Amino acid sequence: MAYKNAADVLPSDLLRRVQKFHVGMLWAPKTEQGFHEGRNANIIRLKENGYTITQIAEKIGLSVRQV
């Protein structure tokens, strides 16, 4: 993963607005629609099969909050 300085990739007005709320490291992951759809379908399937949120989180490697 390549890290970039926000000042090099964001328009200056947007950068100033972001800095009003957040100063420090900011992670903006690349979206991969297919991956998330498949993961979400898997979460729903596991829930329908009686798994708890905690069990699902452990099984697929996410936090309980993410599930």
Side-chain angles (χ1 to χ4, degrees):
M1 175 187 316
Y3 294 96
K4 298 188 188 252
N5 187 319
D8 295 336
V9 295
L10 296 177
S12 59
D13 61 323
L14 178 57
L15 179 59
R16 281 192 304 275
R17 285 186 278 162
V18 169
Q19 288 172 325
K20 284 184 179 181
F21 301 99
H22 180 79
V23 176
M25 294 197 58
L26 178 65
W27 179 53
K30 179 179 177 183
T31 58
E32 296 180 21
Q33 190 73 10
F35 171 78
H36 289 125
E37 288 174 353
R39 183 189 66 191
N40 293 344
N42 191 28
I43 290 170
I44 292 167
R45 184 180 52 76
L46 291 169
K47 184 68 176 153
E48 289 173 344
N49 286 322
Y51 284 84
T52 67
I53 298 297
T54 302
Q55 290 171 323
I56 294 170
E58 290 174 2
K59 188 168 184 66
I60 61 176
L62 294 174
S63 70
V64 170
R65 185 174 176 206
Q66 289 173 304
V67 172

